[in-house]
Amino acid sequence: MEKVSLDQHISRQFNADLEHLKSQTLAMGGMVEKQLHDAMMALENADSELAMQVLEAEKKIDEMELIIDDACTTTIARRQPAATDLRMILAVSRSVRDLERIGDEAQRIAKMAIGLSEEGLSPRGYVEARHIANGVRETLRDCLDAFSRFDARAARETMAKDKQIDLDYRSAVRELVTYMMEDPRSISRVMNVLWALRALERIGDHAKNICEHIVFLVEGKDIRHIHPDAQD
Amino acid sequence: MEKVSLDQHISRQFNADLEHLKSQTLAMGGMVEKQLHDAMMALENADSELAMQVLEAEKKIDEMELIIDDACTTTIARRQPAATDLRMILAVSRSVRDLERIGDEAQRIAKMAIGLSEEGLSPRGYVEARHIANGVRETLRDCLDAFSRFDARAARETMAKDKQIDLDYRSAVRELVTYMMEDPRSISRVMNVLWALRALERIGDHAKNICEHIVFLVEGKDIRHIHPDAQD
């Protein structure tokens, strides 16, 4: 049997570290997806029990962020990676921050669900919320998928879809504001749905950020703040 | 005259790099403070011209973020810093992200100012908005001050103040929702102020994040997600 040199051993260990970072990030992504799903279920059914579960599970996601981010810092300090490896670690560190923020927004939606369970269902807004949530969930799934394959092309395609979510969000807000004027007694309940829509729109933004981190990782280009049309 | 050794030269150069990162971050902080100030002025006076200036200046802040963050990545790759130096660079990289988000929120406030200049002034909410904005501006100034001195104690004190902003925000929202029920014709205009309040609350959150980065930098402890009461 061939003897593995120290260099090979170190590099093998380093690759294992990187793989571990990646799989942990994807596991955290899965947890966040579930949070979003549960928060929306709780909102639609004004289910305060499910909403409380979402608030409880958020702690676990916060913990994951700290663990992964700490592993990133340690890996940089120990392995002193350059170029692609460094970019990958930085991209992981940035992505888990965005995932944690998505968890925060899911938590906000859960809080609105609790509000609705206390004040009664909103007379409007559920169709819009479900529609936007579907778009956001698809974006999140596609972006995690692009992350798992480090696929910059897929990441760019996913980013482009965020525009539609913004348009849908704005039209839903307009509609609900008009409705509140017609039925002022519903304002407080409709506001719960409005804040939930806002949270969904933000989740779309964070998913877009993760796509940007993937492009940065793969291409070494920082494409934040570049207008989509000017990217190619 | 004594001859400077290569090692000394490199470490001197490295210190200059770190100092440069710090001063650039503070310069960006100053720009963001001005954006918040101008956006609030535009909101109070429904001044669409000033609001447009805020939207324009946002590009400069986006640029600053990319430049500083790129300098962080390059410095890590070239100097391979460990311990405190690495933490400082990571704290800078995280802080500029939060500063950029504060800029984004200022931009949202400017957009609400444009909305009000088109629809007419809101009949309510300015006193609350000004009050919350003052608290947020103070928090931001204190947090940049703590950053300039790498003062973890001051950072912790500043974080504690964010609680009051959250309370003020919630009470203002409740008041404005009640007002909208009484005068439904004002809903659309009051909503502009409500979204601006939400943006202010988020700015407070980002300032708190920067405080956390300072503590991480100085103490090497990641205190995100720890309940404030449990920190000592």
Side-chain angles (χ1 to χ4, degrees):
Chain A
M1 237 172 81
E2 218 180 330
K3 200 168 171 276
V4 178
S5 78
L6 185 65
D7 264 14
Q8 274 178 316
H9 176 74
I10 288 174
S11 114
R12 201 177 281 175
Q13 184 62 44
F14 183 37
N15 282 336
D17 285 357
L18 295 182
E19 270 308 311
H20 189 58
L21 281 178
K22 184 176 166 179
S23 65
Q24 273 186 311
T25 306
L26 288 169
M28 184 178 170
M31 282 162 68
V32 167
E33 277 186 307
K34 184 173 182 312
Q35 287 288 87
L36 174 56
H37 174 267
D38 290 353
M40 283 308 298
M41 287 283 284
L43 186 83
E44 283 196 42
N45 305 310
D47 180 344
S48 64
E49 205 170 309
L50 184 57
M52 289 302 292
Q53 284 176 29
V54 173
L55 301 190
E56 195 51 40
E58 175 65 13
K59 287 175 202 154
K60 192 105 204 223
I61 290 175
D62 288 350
E63 224 176 81
M64 283 289 277
E65 187 204 359
L66 293 186
I67 292 171
I68 299 174
D69 210 17
D70 192 49
C72 288
T73 312
T74 313
T75 309
I76 295 176
R78 266 200 213 139
R79 311 281 182 194
Q80 310 200 323
T84 320
D85 292 337
L86 176 59
R87 282 208 311 274
M88 189 226 145
I89 299 171
L90 291 175
V92 164
S93 167
R94 290 172 187 175
S95 297
V96 292
R97 284 185 77 73
D98 280 303
L99 286 175
E100 189 271 331
R101 301 265 169 99
I102 294 176
D104 275 353
E105 299 295 345
Q107 202 178 14
R108 282 176 213 263
I109 295 172
K111 281 181 188 162
M112 296 308 134
I114 293 173
L116 288 169
S117 78
E118 286 162 0
E119 301 178 42
L121 283 173
S122 165
R124 286 280 179 100
Y126 294 105
V127 179
E128 293 83 352
R130 198 177 311 138
H131 175 67
I132 295 173
N134 284 342
V136 168
R137 270 217 292 270
E138 200 185 302
T139 307
L140 183 57
R141 198 181 46 236
D142 289 351
C143 111
L144 290 171
D145 199 48
F147 185 90
S148 76
R149 292 177 285 118
F150 291 161
D151 184 340
R153 190 196 173 95
R156 280 178 192 278
E157 280 168 17
T158 307
M159 280 168 69
K161 282 187 212 151
D162 187 55
K163 263 189 192 164
Q164 188 57 46
I165 293 173
D166 283 350
L167 289 175
D168 291 346
Y169 165 71
R170 260 175 250 160
S171 113
V173 168
R174 264 196 308 274
E175 223 164 286
L176 289 177
V177 167
T178 308
Y179 181 77
M180 288 195 291
M181 290 189 217
E182 287 163 9
D183 183 9
R185 286 163 310 158
S186 70
I187 289 179
S188 176
R189 285 170 291 150
V190 176
M191 283 299 296
N192 282 311
V193 179
L194 267 181
W195 295 128
L197 290 181
R198 182 72 151 190
L200 286 172
E201 187 246 345
R202 291 289 173 102
I203 293 176
D205 284 346
H206 287 296
K208 205 178 87 183
N209 289 346
I210 296 175
C211 291
E212 289 172 353
H213 305 325
I214 298 168
V215 175
F216 163 75
L217 186 170
V218 178
E219 302 181 0
K221 262 193 275 192
D222 209 326
I223 58 166
R224 283 174 281 172
H225 317 307
I226 297 174
H227 194 275
D229 299 336
Q231 264 168 39
D232 295 307
Chain B
M1 238 169 83
E2 221 181 325
K3 205 168 169 272
V4 178
S5 77
L6 184 64
D7 264 13
Q8 275 179 315
H9 176 73
I10 287 173
S11 114
R12 202 177 281 176
Q13 184 63 43
F14 182 37
N15 283 335
D17 285 358
L18 295 182
E19 269 309 311
H20 189 57
L21 281 179
K22 183 177 166 180
S23 64
Q24 272 185 311
T25 307
L26 288 169
M28 184 178 170
M31 283 163 69
V32 166
E33 277 187 306
K34 186 175 181 310
Q35 287 288 87
L36 174 56
H37 174 267
D38 290 353
M40 283 308 298
M41 288 283 285
L43 186 82
E44 284 197 41
N45 305 308
D47 181 343
S48 64
E49 205 171 308
L50 185 57
M52 289 302 292
Q53 283 176 29
V54 172
L55 301 189
E56 195 52 39
E58 174 65 13
K59 287 176 203 154
K60 192 99 206 230
I61 290 174
D62 289 349
E63 225 176 81
M64 282 290 278
E65 187 203 358
L66 292 186
I67 291 171
I68 299 174
D69 210 16
D70 191 49
C72 287
T73 312
T74 313
T75 308
I76 295 176
R78 265 200 214 140
R79 311 281 181 192
Q80 312 201 319
T84 320
D85 292 337
L86 176 59
R87 283 208 309 274
M88 188 223 145
I89 298 171
L90 291 175
V92 164
S93 168
R94 290 171 186 176
S95 297
V96 294
R97 284 185 78 74
D98 280 302
L99 286 175
E100 191 271 330
R101 303 264 169 98
I102 294 176
D104 275 353
E105 299 295 344
Q107 203 178 12
R108 281 176 215 261
I109 296 172
K111 281 180 188 162
M112 295 309 133
I114 293 172
L116 288 169
S117 78
E118 286 163 359
E119 301 177 41
L121 283 172
S122 164
R124 285 279 180 102
Y126 294 106
V127 177
E128 292 82 353
R130 198 179 310 138
H131 175 67
I132 295 173
N134 284 341
V136 168
R137 271 217 293 271
E138 201 186 301
T139 306
L140 183 56
R141 199 181 47 234
D142 289 350
C143 110
L144 290 171
D145 200 46
F147 184 90
S148 76
R149 294 177 284 119
F150 291 160
D151 184 339
R153 190 198 172 93
R156 281 180 192 276
E157 280 169 16
T158 306
M159 280 168 70
K161 283 189 211 149
D162 188 55
K163 263 190 193 166
Q164 188 56 47
I165 293 173
D166 284 350
L167 289 176
D168 292 346
Y169 164 72
R170 261 175 249 161
S171 114
V173 167
R174 266 195 307 272
E175 222 163 288
L176 290 177
V177 167
T178 308
Y179 182 77
M180 288 195 292
M181 291 188 214
E182 287 163 10
D183 183 9
R185 288 162 310 158
S186 70
I187 289 179
S188 175
R189 285 171 290 150
V190 175
M191 283 299 294
N192 282 309
V193 179
L194 268 181
W195 295 128
L197 290 181
R198 182 74 151 187
L200 286 172
E201 188 246 343
R202 292 288 173 106
I203 292 177
D205 284 346
H206 288 297
K208 205 177 86 183
N209 290 346
I210 296 175
C211 291
E212 291 172 350
H213 306 327
I214 298 168
V215 175
F216 164 75
L217 186 170
V218 177
E219 303 180 359
K221 265 192 274 194
D222 210 326
I223 58 165
R224 285 174 281 171
H225 317 307
I226 297 174
H227 194 276
D229 299 335
Q231 265 168 41
D232 295 306

Coordinates of all heavy atoms in Angstrom, one line a residue, chain A residues 180 184 186-189 191 194-195, chain B residues 40 43 112 116 121-132 167-200:
Chain A
M180 N -58.6 47.9 2.4 CA -58.7 48.5 3.7 C -59.5 49.8 3.7 O -60.3 50.1 4.7 CB -57.3 48.8 4.3 CG -56.6 47.5 4.7 SD -55.1 47.8 5.8 CE -54.0 48.7 4.6
P184 N -62.7 49.6 6.6 CA -61.8 50.1 7.6 C -61.8 49.2 8.9 O -60.8 49.1 9.6 CB -62.2 51.5 8.0 CG -63.1 51.9 6.9 CD -63.7 50.7 6.3
S186 N -61.5 46.2 9.0 CA -60.6 45.0 8.7 C -59.1 45.4 8.8 O -58.3 44.5 8.7 CB -60.9 44.4 7.4 OG -60.4 45.3 6.4
I187 N -58.9 46.7 9.0 CA -57.5 47.2 8.8 C -56.5 46.4 9.7 O -55.5 45.9 9.1 CB -57.4 48.7 9.2 CG1 -58.1 49.5 8.1 CG2 -56.0 49.1 9.4 CD1 -58.1 51.0 8.4
S188 N -56.8 46.2 10.9 CA -55.8 45.6 11.8 C -55.5 44.2 11.4 O -54.4 43.8 11.4 CB -56.4 45.6 13.2 OG -55.6 45.0 14.1
R189 N -56.6 43.5 10.9 CA -56.3 42.1 10.5 C -55.6 42.0 9.1 O -54.7 41.2 8.9 CB -57.6 41.3 10.4 CG -58.2 40.9 11.7 CD -59.6 40.4 11.7 NE -60.6 41.5 11.3 CZ -61.7 41.3 10.6 NH1 -62.0 40.1 10.2 NH2 -62.5 42.3 10.4
M191 N -53.5 44.3 8.1 CA -52.2 44.7 8.3 C -51.3 43.5 8.6 O -50.1 43.4 8.2 CB -52.1 45.7 9.5 CG -52.5 47.1 9.1 SD -51.5 47.9 7.8 CE -49.9 48.0 8.6
L194 N -50.3 42.1 5.4 CA -49.4 43.0 4.8 C -48.0 42.8 5.3 O -47.0 42.8 4.5 CB -49.8 44.4 5.0 CG -50.7 45.1 3.9 CD1 -51.1 46.5 4.2 CD2 -50.1 45.0 2.5
W195 N -47.8 42.7 6.6 CA -46.5 42.6 7.1 C -45.9 41.2 6.7 O -44.7 41.1 6.5 CB -46.5 42.7 8.7 CG -46.8 44.0 9.3 CD1 -47.8 44.2 10.2 CD2 -46.3 45.3 9.0 NE1 -47.8 45.5 10.6 CE2 -46.9 46.2 9.9 CE3 -45.3 45.7 8.1 CZ2 -46.6 47.6 9.9 CZ3 -45.0 47.1 8.1 CH2 -45.6 48.0 9.0
Chain B
M40 N -34.8 61.4 6.0 CA -35.8 61.8 7.0 C -36.3 63.2 6.7 O -37.5 63.5 6.9 CB -35.3 61.7 8.4 CG -35.2 60.3 9.0 SD -36.8 59.4 8.9 CE -37.9 60.4 9.9
L43 N -38.7 63.0 4.0 CA -40.0 62.5 4.4 C -40.8 63.5 5.1 O -42.0 63.7 4.8 CB -39.7 61.3 5.3 CG -41.0 60.5 5.8 CD1 -41.4 59.5 4.7 CD2 -40.8 59.8 7.1
M112 N -40.6 56.5 0.1 CA -41.9 56.9 0.8 C -42.1 58.4 0.7 O -43.2 58.9 0.6 CB -41.9 56.4 2.3 CG -41.9 54.9 2.4 SD -43.1 54.1 1.5 CE -42.2 52.8 0.7
L116 N -45.3 60.5 -0.7 CA -46.0 61.5 0.0 C -46.0 62.8 -0.8 O -47.0 63.6 -0.8 CB -45.4 61.8 1.4 CG -45.6 60.7 2.4 CD1 -44.7 60.9 3.6 CD2 -47.1 60.6 2.8
L121 N -49.3 65.2 2.1 CA -48.7 64.8 3.4 C -49.7 63.9 4.1 O -50.9 64.0 4.0 CB -48.5 66.1 4.2 CG -47.2 66.9 3.8 CD1 -47.2 68.2 4.6 CD2 -46.0 66.1 4.1
S122 N -49.1 63.0 4.9 CA -49.9 62.2 5.8 C -50.4 63.1 6.9 O -49.7 64.0 7.4 CB -49.0 61.1 6.4 OG -49.6 60.5 7.5
P123 N -51.6 62.8 7.4 CA -52.2 63.7 8.5 C -51.6 63.3 9.8 O -51.7 64.0 10.8 CB -53.7 63.3 8.5 CG -53.7 61.9 7.8 CD -52.6 61.8 6.9
R124 N -50.9 62.2 9.9 CA -50.3 61.7 11.2 C -49.0 61.0 11.0 O -48.7 60.6 9.9 CB -51.3 60.7 11.8 CG -52.5 61.3 12.4 CD -52.2 61.9 13.8 NE -53.5 62.4 14.4 CZ -54.2 61.8 15.3 NH1 -53.9 60.7 15.8 NH2 -55.4 62.4 15.7
G125 N -48.3 60.8 12.1 CA -47.1 59.9 12.1 C -45.8 60.6 12.1 O -44.8 60.0 12.4
Y126 N -45.8 61.9 11.8 CA -44.5 62.6 11.7 C -43.7 62.8 13.1 O -42.5 62.6 13.1 CB -44.6 64.0 11.1 CG -45.0 63.9 9.6 CD1 -46.3 64.2 9.2 CD2 -44.1 63.4 8.7 CE1 -46.7 64.0 7.9 CE2 -44.5 63.3 7.3 CZ -45.8 63.6 7.0 OH -46.2 63.5 5.7
V127 N -44.5 63.1 14.1 CA -43.9 63.2 15.4 C -43.3 61.9 15.8 O -42.1 61.8 16.3 CB -45.0 63.6 16.5 CG1 -44.4 63.7 17.9 CG2 -45.7 64.9 16.1
E128 N -44.0 60.8 15.6 CA -43.5 59.4 16.0 C -42.2 59.1 15.1 O -41.2 58.6 15.6 CB -44.6 58.4 15.7 CG -45.8 58.4 16.6 CD -46.8 59.5 16.2 OE1 -46.5 60.2 15.2 OE2 -47.9 59.5 16.8
A129 N -42.3 59.4 13.8 CA -41.2 59.1 12.9 C -40.0 59.9 13.4 O -38.9 59.3 13.4 CB -41.6 59.4 11.5
R130 N -40.2 61.2 13.7 CA -39.0 62.0 14.1 C -38.4 61.4 15.4 O -37.2 61.3 15.5 CB -39.4 63.4 14.3 CG -38.3 64.4 14.2 CD -38.7 65.8 14.4 NE -39.8 66.1 13.5 CZ -40.9 66.8 13.8 NH1 -41.1 67.3 15.0 NH2 -41.8 67.1 12.9
H131 N -39.3 61.1 16.3 CA -38.8 60.5 17.6 C -38.0 59.3 17.4 O -36.9 59.1 17.9 CB -40.0 60.3 18.5 CG -39.6 59.6 19.8 ND1 -38.9 60.3 20.8 CD2 -39.9 58.4 20.3 CE1 -38.7 59.4 21.8 NE2 -39.3 58.3 21.5
I132 N -38.5 58.3 16.6 CA -37.8 57.1 16.4 C -36.5 57.3 15.6 O -35.5 56.7 15.9 CB -38.7 56.1 15.7 CG1 -39.9 55.7 16.6 CG2 -38.0 54.8 15.2 CD1 -41.0 54.9 16.0
L167 N -39.7 49.2 21.1 CA -40.9 49.5 21.9 C -41.6 50.8 21.3 O -42.8 50.8 21.0 CB -40.6 49.8 23.3 CG -40.2 48.6 24.2 CD1 -39.8 49.1 25.6 CD2 -41.3 47.6 24.3
D168 N -40.8 51.8 21.0 CA -41.4 53.0 20.4 C -42.0 52.7 19.0 O -43.1 53.2 18.7 CB -40.3 54.1 20.2 CG -39.8 54.6 21.5 OD1 -40.5 54.4 22.5 OD2 -38.7 55.3 21.5
Y169 N -41.3 51.9 18.3 CA -41.8 51.5 16.9 C -43.2 50.8 17.1 O -44.2 51.2 16.4 CB -40.8 50.6 16.3 CG -41.4 49.8 15.1 CD1 -41.7 50.5 13.9 CD2 -41.7 48.5 15.1 CE1 -42.2 49.8 12.8 CE2 -42.2 47.8 14.0 CZ -42.5 48.5 12.9 OH -43.0 47.8 11.8
R170 N -43.3 49.8 18.0 CA -44.5 49.1 18.1 C -45.7 50.0 18.5 O -46.8 49.9 18.0 CB -44.4 47.9 19.1 CG -44.1 46.6 18.3 CD -43.8 45.5 19.3 NE -42.4 45.1 19.1 CZ -41.8 44.4 20.1 NH1 -42.3 44.1 21.2 NH2 -40.5 44.1 19.8
S171 N -45.4 50.9 19.5 CA -46.5 51.8 19.9 C -46.9 52.7 18.8 O -48.1 53.0 18.7 CB -46.1 52.5 21.2 OG -45.9 53.8 21.1
A172 N -46.0 53.2 18.0 CA -46.3 54.1 16.9 C -47.2 53.4 15.9 O -48.2 53.9 15.4 CB -45.0 54.6 16.2
V173 N -46.8 52.1 15.6 CA -47.6 51.4 14.6 C -49.1 51.2 15.1 O -50.0 51.4 14.4 CB -47.0 50.0 14.3 CG1 -48.0 49.1 13.6 CG2 -45.7 50.1 13.5
R174 N -49.2 50.8 16.4 CA -50.6 50.7 16.9 C -51.4 51.9 16.8 O -52.5 51.9 16.4 CB -50.5 50.3 18.4 CG -50.5 48.8 18.7 CD -50.8 48.5 20.1 NE -49.8 49.2 21.0 CZ -48.7 48.7 21.4 NH1 -48.2 47.6 21.0 NH2 -47.9 49.4 22.2
E175 N -50.7 53.1 17.1 CA -51.4 54.3 17.0 C -51.9 54.7 15.6 O -53.0 55.1 15.4 CB -50.4 55.4 17.5 CG -51.1 56.5 18.4 CD -50.0 57.2 19.1 OE1 -49.3 56.6 20.0 OE2 -49.7 58.4 18.8
L176 N -51.0 54.4 14.7 CA -51.3 54.8 13.3 C -52.4 53.8 12.7 O -53.2 54.3 11.9 CB -50.0 54.7 12.4 CG -49.1 55.9 12.7 CD1 -47.8 55.8 11.9 CD2 -49.7 57.3 12.4
V177 N -52.4 52.6 13.1 CA -53.4 51.7 12.6 C -54.8 52.1 13.2 O -55.8 52.2 12.4 CB -53.1 50.2 13.1 CG1 -54.3 49.3 12.9 CG2 -51.9 49.7 12.3
T178 N -54.8 52.5 14.4 CA -56.0 53.1 15.0 C -56.5 54.3 14.2 O -57.7 54.5 13.9 CB -55.8 53.4 16.5 OG1 -55.2 52.3 17.2 CG2 -57.1 53.8 17.2
Y179 N -55.5 55.2 13.9 CA -55.9 56.4 13.2 C -56.5 56.1 11.8 O -57.5 56.7 11.4 CB -54.7 57.3 13.1 CG -55.1 58.6 12.3 CD1 -55.7 59.6 13.0 CD2 -54.8 58.7 11.0 CE1 -56.1 60.7 12.4 CE2 -55.2 59.9 10.3 CZ -55.9 60.9 11.0 OH -56.3 62.0 10.3
M180 N -55.9 55.1 11.2 CA -56.4 54.7 9.8 C -57.8 54.3 9.9 O -58.6 54.5 9.0 CB -55.5 53.7 9.2 CG -54.1 54.2 8.7 SD -53.3 53.1 7.6 CE -52.9 51.7 8.7
M181 N -58.2 53.6 11.0 CA -59.6 53.1 11.1 C -60.5 54.3 11.2 O -61.6 54.2 10.7 CB -59.7 52.2 12.3 CG -59.0 50.9 12.2 SD -59.4 49.8 13.6 CE -57.9 48.9 13.8
E182 N -60.0 55.3 11.9 CA -60.9 56.5 12.1 C -61.0 57.3 10.8 O -62.1 57.9 10.6 CB -60.3 57.4 13.2 CG -60.5 56.8 14.6 CD -59.6 57.4 15.6 OE1 -59.0 58.5 15.3 OE2 -59.5 56.9 16.7
D183 N -60.0 57.3 10.0 CA -60.0 58.1 8.8 C -59.5 57.3 7.6 O -58.3 57.5 7.2 CB -59.1 59.4 9.1 CG -59.2 60.3 7.8 OD1 -60.0 60.1 6.9 OD2 -58.4 61.3 7.8
P184 N -60.3 56.5 7.1 CA -59.9 55.5 6.0 C -59.4 56.2 4.8 O -58.6 55.7 4.1 CB -61.1 54.7 5.7 CG -62.0 54.9 6.9 CD -61.7 56.2 7.5
R185 N -59.8 57.5 4.6 CA -59.3 58.2 3.4 C -57.8 58.5 3.4 O -57.2 58.7 2.4 CB -60.1 59.5 3.2 CG -61.5 59.3 2.7 CD -62.2 60.6 3.0 NE -62.0 61.0 4.4 CZ -62.1 62.3 4.9 NH1 -62.5 63.3 4.1 NH2 -61.9 62.5 6.1
S186 N -57.3 58.4 4.7 CA -55.9 58.7 4.8 C -55.0 57.5 4.7 O -53.7 57.6 4.7 CB -55.6 59.4 6.2 OG -55.8 58.3 7.2
I187 N -55.6 56.3 4.6 CA -54.8 55.1 4.6 C -53.6 55.1 3.8 O -52.5 54.8 4.2 CB -55.7 53.9 4.3 CG1 -56.7 53.6 5.4 CG2 -54.9 52.6 4.1 CD1 -57.7 52.5 5.2
S188 N -53.8 55.4 2.5 CA -52.7 55.3 1.6 C -51.5 56.2 2.0 O -50.3 55.8 1.9 CB -53.2 55.7 0.2 OG -52.1 55.7 -0.7
R189 N -51.8 57.4 2.5 CA -50.7 58.3 2.9 C -50.1 57.9 4.2 O -48.9 57.9 4.3 CB -51.3 59.8 3.0 CG -51.5 60.4 1.7 CD -52.3 61.7 1.8 NE -53.7 61.5 2.2 CZ -54.4 62.4 3.0 NH1 -53.9 63.5 3.4 NH2 -55.6 62.1 3.3
V190 N -50.9 57.4 5.1 CA -50.4 56.9 6.4 C -49.5 55.7 6.2 O -48.4 55.5 6.9 CB -51.5 56.6 7.4 CG1 -50.9 56.0 8.7 CG2 -52.3 57.9 7.8
M191 N -49.9 54.9 5.2 CA -49.1 53.7 4.9 C -47.6 54.1 4.6 O -46.7 53.4 4.9 CB -49.7 52.9 3.8 CG -50.9 52.0 4.1 SD -50.6 50.7 5.4 CE -49.5 49.7 4.6
N192 N -47.5 55.2 3.8 CA -46.1 55.6 3.5 C -45.3 55.8 4.8 O -44.1 55.5 4.8 CB -46.2 56.9 2.7 CG -46.5 56.7 1.2 OD1 -45.9 55.8 0.6 ND2 -47.5 57.4 0.7
V193 N -45.9 56.4 5.7 CA -45.2 56.7 7.0 C -44.9 55.4 7.7 O -43.8 55.2 8.3 CB -46.0 57.7 7.9 CG1 -45.2 57.9 9.2 CG2 -46.2 59.0 7.2
L194 N -45.9 54.5 7.7 CA -45.7 53.2 8.3 C -44.5 52.4 7.8 O -43.7 51.8 8.5 CB -47.0 52.3 8.2 CG -48.0 52.4 9.3 CD1 -49.2 51.5 9.0 CD2 -47.4 52.0 10.6
W195 N -44.4 52.4 6.4 CA -43.3 51.7 5.8 C -42.0 52.4 6.2 O -40.9 51.7 6.4 CB -43.4 51.6 4.3 CG -44.5 50.8 3.7 CD1 -45.4 51.3 2.8 CD2 -44.9 49.5 4.0 NE1 -46.3 50.3 2.5 CE2 -46.0 49.2 3.2 CE3 -44.4 48.5 4.8 CZ2 -46.7 47.9 3.2 CZ3 -45.0 47.2 4.8 CH2 -46.1 47.0 4.0
A196 N -42.0 53.7 6.3 CA -40.8 54.4 6.7 C -40.4 54.0 8.2 O -39.2 53.9 8.5 CB -41.0 55.9 6.6
L197 N -41.4 53.9 9.0 CA -41.1 53.5 10.4 C -40.5 52.1 10.4 O -39.5 51.9 11.2 CB -42.4 53.5 11.2 CG -43.1 54.8 11.6 CD1 -44.3 54.5 12.4 CD2 -42.2 55.7 12.3
R198 N -41.0 51.2 9.6 CA -40.5 49.9 9.5 C -39.0 49.9 9.1 O -38.2 49.2 9.7 CB -41.3 49.1 8.5 CG -40.9 47.7 8.3 CD -41.3 46.8 9.5 NE -41.6 45.4 9.1 CZ -42.1 44.6 10.0 NH1 -42.5 44.9 11.2 NH2 -42.3 43.3 9.6
A199 N -38.7 50.8 8.2 CA -37.3 50.9 7.7 C -36.4 51.4 8.8 O -35.3 50.9 9.0 CB -37.3 51.9 6.5
L200 N -37.0 52.4 9.6 CA -36.2 52.9 10.8 C -35.9 51.8 11.8 O -34.8 51.7 12.3 CB -36.9 54.0 11.5 CG -37.0 55.4 10.7 CD1 -37.9 56.3 11.4 CD2 -35.6 56.0 10.6

